[in-house]
Amino acid sequence: MKLITAIIKPFRLDEVRQALSGGGVQGLTVTEVRGFGRQKGHSEAYRGAEYNFNLVPKLKIEAVVEDDDAFRLADLIARAAHTGNIGDGKIFVSHIENAVRIRTGELDETAL
């Protein structure tokens, strides 16, 4: 099993969710997060004053998938989240050792 963690721009969520649903993902978790990458935040002007935002709002999407599907689904996310602008995000794929469905006690792939 693999954990796909994607950090994306908030307005790309619908496209990414639709791509993952079409790709066979049956569940995912979305969390509102803040952070910065190479751009180190951004500045905005409001009522004549400039404000610096060091932590940019993003969404973190997590989905546990079978090993064979991980890189295909990561590619689907990359295509759906892509705008071509700075701050499009990152995708991480990690190994998951165990999973347990709390309600039934099912383990690993059957728990997905």
Side-chain angles (χ1 to χ4, degrees):
M1 293 176 300
K2 301 283 186 190
L3 170 66
I4 300 175
T5 303
I7 309 297
I8 65 166
K9 291 182 175 185
F11 67 88
R12 299 303 293 182
L13 176 61
D14 287 337
E15 290 85 353
V16 171
R17 187 187 54 76
Q18 289 174 359
L20 289 174
S21 293
V25 172
Q26 295 187 15
L28 57 88
T29 301
V30 178
T31 309
E32 292 181 6
V33 296
R34 294 178 180 266
F36 70 87
R38 292 182 183 163
Q39 78 268 19
K40 306 285 190 256
H42 67 281
S43 299
E44 288 184 13
Y46 178 71
R47 294 189 179 190
E50 186 171 310
Y51 295 92
N52 291 318
F53 296 94
N54 295 327
L55 299 176
V56 179
K58 300 285 184 174
L59 292 179
K60 178 167 73 169
I61 298 173
E62 297 173 302
V64 178
V65 299
E66 293 185 23
D67 289 345
D68 295 341
D69 294 331
F71 292 103
R72 176 181 62 83
L73 294 171
D75 183 58
L76 285 177
I77 294 170
R79 285 190 273 133
H82 180 263
T83 67
N85 296 318
I86 292 173
D88 270 352
K90 299 267 191 301
I91 301 171
F92 307 100
V93 179
S94 340
H95 180 72
I96 297 292
E97 289 190 32
N98 295 42
V100 178
R101 183 184 308 245
I102 295 172
R103 180 177 55 88
T104 61
E106 294 170 293
L107 300 174
D108 300 329
E109 284 83 9
T110 58
L112 299 181

